[in-house]
Amino acid sequence: MHLLSHRARALAVACAAVLLLAACGGKDEKKTANTKPALTVTTTTPTETMLPVMLAANGNLAAWQEAIIGAEASGLRISDVLVGVGDRVRRGQVLARFAAATLQAESSQARASLAEAEAAAAEAANNAARARTLQQTGAMSASQINQYITAEATARARVAAARAQLDQQQVRLSQSAVHAPDDGIISARTATVGAVVGNGAELFRLIRKGRLEWRAEVTSDELGRITPGTRALVTATSGARLEGRVRMIGPTVDPQTRVALVYVDVNPLPGPASGSARAGMFARGEFDLGAQPALTVPQPAVVVREGFNYVFRVNPDNRVSQVKVQIGRIAEDRVQVLSGVTSGMRIVASGGGFLNDGDLVRVADANGPVPSTAAAGAAPAAAVPASAASAPASAASAPARKDKP
């Protein structure tokens, strides 16, 4: 009995020693795990960059000037329409013709009247000339001579009136064809073959020079930031991109909406959708107001968590601190930081999404390759845990040990 008690006591002491050694080993392993880097990272510092200042606005595309082309002659029938909506025309090009038989007959009649008046004027001139030769001989009285001279003047006046009548008929005859007043694009057509139109009736509408303008709506408090000549980039709903400059700022502000119109002359930029811009389309655009200095960081350095933006500052002991930041504009691969960082702060360049506040990191050699912006999206592949990277190769390459029998 005494021997069994002694053995039980020895067994209990041995178990306690084993448990103690296991506890000490666990603490050491935990301590070792806490000192292993969580990630190998590269660092960067915020830099001051000149960022463009843009003012966004909405508006509509419209024709620069839309000419209304009407009928000058009245009571004529349209015999031919030569253009349609969307056609490009040149100045002086014939757009439509009227039936001109009546006008040609009237012109011929006026030409005959002119010939008759010229013949009468020639006879009156001869009579007046003979009367003047007889004035000195006394063979003809002074009153008769005056009658011949007056008849000559009257005949000349009738010739002038007949010539004016002929010119008028020629003008009417020329109005039997409708001509384009300028280069441009036909935007509307109401002319129909066979229709009899009155004087001044609208037949076509023409976008002069084919030019468009963007009528941007700008609030009154932003109006002072825009001046004539300011550059603008415009994108229509069709995807067409246009570039232009401010021609004029509207002289009034709508008292209800407090919005003014800014008129921008635009030209299509080269591209497959350059010709799809049309008058009446809605378009969004931005006014280029210059550039301002701003503190920026690479886009992969910013981590979004729970709706807030953070960067990870690398402390002197290579532990990271999560810092909340407020971001501003984005230009290419840079993000403006309004608050939270300073120009000399060392932050994690990419892979911050795999870190937590207080993690230990291994900073890559400054002379080594720096991850590019394109590789930022592949952060999981680039972010290799330091424990895996530092695993000894000898453990994997050591030959298997044979146990002795």
Side-chain angles (χ1 to χ4, degrees):
M1 193 70 167
H2 180 72
L3 181 59
L4 290 176
S5 176
H6 178 72
R7 288 181 178 178
R9 188 180 301 108
L11 183 59
V13 171
C15 292
V18 171
L19 292 175
L20 181 60
L21 289 174
C24 292
K27 291 181 180 179
D28 291 341
E29 290 178 1
K30 185 177 180 181
K31 183 177 181 181
T32 304
N34 289 338
T35 58
K36 289 183 179 180
L39 203 66
T40 299
V41 299
T42 57
T43 61
T44 185
T45 56
T47 57
E48 192 170 279
T49 309
M50 297 298 293
L51 290 184
V53 180
M54 310 298 288
L55 176 62
N58 298 328
N60 297 317
L61 294 176
W64 166 61
Q65 285 184 3
E66 194 170 34
I68 298 176
I69 305 172
E72 297 181 81
S74 61
L76 298 180
R77 175 177 55 84
I78 298 177
S79 61
D80 200 2
V81 178
L82 305 177
V83 296
V85 175
D87 291 346
R88 285 187 173 272
V89 298
R90 295 289 185 182
R91 183 185 184 94
Q93 180 177 336
V94 178
L95 308 181
R97 290 192 179 95
F98 293 97
T102 303
L103 296 179
Q104 290 174 351
E106 292 176 352
S107 179
S108 299
Q109 182 180 1
R111 189 175 290 106
S113 299
L114 176 61
E116 181 182 3
E118 287 176 343
E123 182 181 3
N126 292 332
N127 293 334
R130 284 195 299 268
R132 289 190 186 93
T133 58
L134 297 175
Q135 187 175 5
Q136 301 298 330
T137 62
M140 188 176 292
S141 65
S143 61
Q144 290 177 330
I145 295 174
N146 289 335
Q147 288 178 0
Y148 284 116
I149 294 174
T150 302
E152 179 188 21
T154 303
R156 283 199 299 265
R158 287 174 180 170
V159 169
R163 183 173 289 110
Q165 185 69 23
L166 177 60
D167 292 342
Q168 180 182 1
Q169 293 302 324
Q170 292 290 343
V171 170
R172 290 199 63 196
L173 185 60
S174 67
Q175 292 173 351
S176 63
V178 180
H179 297 83
D182 200 353
D183 297 346
I185 301 174
I186 300 297
S187 59
R189 188 195 75 179
T190 56
T192 305
V193 174
V196 178
V197 298
N199 188 14
E202 179 181 326
L203 301 177
F204 303 95
R205 290 200 176 195
L206 175 72
I207 300 177
R208 293 189 59 196
K209 308 294 184 184
R211 286 174 53 182
L212 297 177
E213 65 180 13
W214 179 46
R215 298 177 182 176
E217 298 178 354
V218 180
T219 58
S220 55
D221 56 339
E222 296 174 337
L223 202 60
R225 304 172 64 186
I226 303 174
T227 57
T230 299
R231 180 171 172 267
L233 293 174
V234 183
T235 303
T237 52
S238 63
R241 300 185 71 250
L242 306 100
E243 181 182 20
R245 294 193 178 274
V246 175
R247 184 182 77 252
M248 181 184 69
I249 299 174
T252 60
V253 176
D254 190 322
Q256 302 296 328
T257 61
R258 306 301 179 188
V259 168
L261 291 180
V262 177
Y263 299 87
V264 182
D265 291 330
V266 294
N267 294 302
L269 290 173
S274 60
S276 59
R278 297 288 186 271
M281 279 186 177
F282 175 80
R284 302 179 185 273
E286 292 181 330
F287 294 98
D288 186 358
L289 304 181
Q292 290 181 349
L295 200 64
T296 63
V297 298
Q299 286 195 39
V302 180
V303 178
V304 180
R305 288 180 177 173
E306 299 178 354
F308 297 99
N309 298 289
Y310 299 93
V311 297
F312 283 89
R313 181 183 64 219
V314 179
N315 299 315
D317 59 354
N318 282 358
R319 292 192 178 273
V320 296
S321 299
Q322 182 175 276
V323 179
K324 186 177 180 180
V325 295
Q326 182 181 359
I327 65 172
R329 291 169 289 154
I330 300 176
E332 297 180 354
D333 62 341
R334 308 289 297 183
V335 180
Q336 180 187 13
V337 180
L338 302 176
S339 63
V341 299
T342 59
S343 58
M345 182 183 295
R346 192 171 60 149
I347 62 175
V348 175
S350 63
F354 299 95
L355 296 175
N356 294 313
D357 192 24
D359 281 351
L360 179 67
V361 296
R362 176 184 289 112
V363 178
D365 185 6
N367 297 324
V370 178
S372 62
T373 306
V384 180
S387 58
S390 60
S394 59
S397 60
R401 182 175 58 86
K402 294 182 179 180
D403 295 332
K404 292 182 179 180

